[in-house]
Amino acid sequence: MTKFIITGQRLGQTSQFESGSGTYIHESYIYSSVCGKLILEESEDLNKKTTLTIQSLRSKTSIQPTVGDLVTGRVSRIRLSSAQIEILCIGDLPLKESFSGIIRKQDVRSKNIDRVVMSESYQPGDIVRAEVISLGESRGYSFYLTSAKSDLGVIHAKSKFGFKMKVNSEEEMVCEKTNNIEKRKVAILD
């Protein structure tokens, strides 16, 4: 039986499973960072845990985000005043084709906007949860996004060393292997 998973769905505890691609860890639980099919990767080593992986599925229907939609995307580029986002899912539905979005510096958080540093909020490759706030301008960005709510922001990230990171606070993530702390605008999920 195939089990389909939605973005943000709790999959299991880190005491029982390893976190694989398409997943992230938050407070000792493994969650899906993409929509798709759950894959259980059994280890040949009896002392190792089963790895939970999500195989992303693309939607067969062509839809596009609208104002107010929650979207999941991958950070593709960071600038001084914005982060470019490749929108991959609308709500729990994976998209047939991705859309381009942008999170402007003033839309990163609702407090201390003047202190926002984009490279301390997002890094290329981060998976983010954001809300569509408007259609973009003609500069090639289809949608303006915001992460200025506590449950919006980075939901999955790798450290500069390439290892998975877990939430340390709403502004920090910690590398699971090196314990190195990196700044991010973290989505705090219940």
Side-chain angles (χ1 to χ4, degrees):
M1 181 171 105
T2 302
K3 186 167 184 182
F4 292 97
I5 303 299
I6 61 174
T7 303
Q9 186 172 343
R10 186 186 292 187
L11 304 174
Q13 292 185 306
T14 56
S15 60
Q16 297 173 316
F17 299 99
E18 292 287 329
S19 176
S21 66
T23 69
Y24 66 96
I25 296 173
H26 177 67
E27 294 182 357
S28 301
Y29 286 96
I30 300 171
Y31 294 85
S32 172
S33 62
V34 296
C35 304
K37 185 170 76 171
L38 176 64
I39 307 292
L40 300 174
E41 297 175 0
E42 301 288 337
S43 173
E44 293 181 18
D45 183 346
L46 296 176
N47 296 325
K48 289 196 172 188
K49 300 179 244 180
T50 298
T51 300
L52 300 176
T53 300
I54 305 300
Q55 181 182 37
S56 179
L57 302 174
R58 296 289 182 180
S59 172
K60 303 236 186 296
T61 60
S62 183
I63 61 170
Q64 74 178 48
T66 59
V67 173
D69 282 346
L70 290 179
V71 297
T72 303
R74 181 181 307 111
V75 177
S76 57
R77 187 175 191 178
I78 299 293
R79 294 187 173 148
L80 288 176
S81 61
S82 65
Q84 188 172 340
I85 310 295
E86 177 188 8
I87 300 171
L88 304 171
C89 293
I90 300 173
D92 302 327
L93 185 64
L95 297 172
K96 182 177 181 180
E97 56 187 79
S98 65
F99 291 92
S100 189
I102 186 170
I103 300 176
R104 299 172 297 184
K105 189 175 183 177
Q106 65 264 32
D107 297 320
V108 170
R109 56 175 45 99
S110 58
K111 300 175 187 173
N112 301 321
I113 296 169
D114 56 328
R115 291 194 213 156
V116 171
V117 176
M118 293 307 294
S119 63
E120 292 180 354
S121 300
Y122 304 106
Q123 286 295 312
D126 288 354
I127 304 297
V128 299
R129 187 169 181 231
E131 182 179 338
V132 178
I133 54 174
S134 73
L135 294 176
E137 297 173 3
S138 61
R139 294 186 305 200
Y141 299 109
S142 299
F143 302 94
Y144 282 127
L145 309 173
T146 182
S147 60
K149 295 180 182 175
S150 63
D151 64 335
L152 302 178
V154 176
I155 58 174
H156 175 76
K158 289 190 177 181
S159 71
K160 60 183 173 183
F161 303 108
F163 300 113
K164 285 190 175 94
M165 299 182 75
K166 61 183 179 181
V167 175
N168 195 41
S169 72
E170 63 186 29
E171 295 182 359
E172 294 178 339
M173 297 184 89
V174 62
C175 179
E176 292 180 350
K177 299 284 185 192
T178 65
N179 290 322
N180 188 46
I181 294 174
E182 294 183 24
K183 293 206 175 269
R184 296 290 201 284
K185 192 316 184 172
V186 179
I188 303 298
L189 305 173
D190 293 330

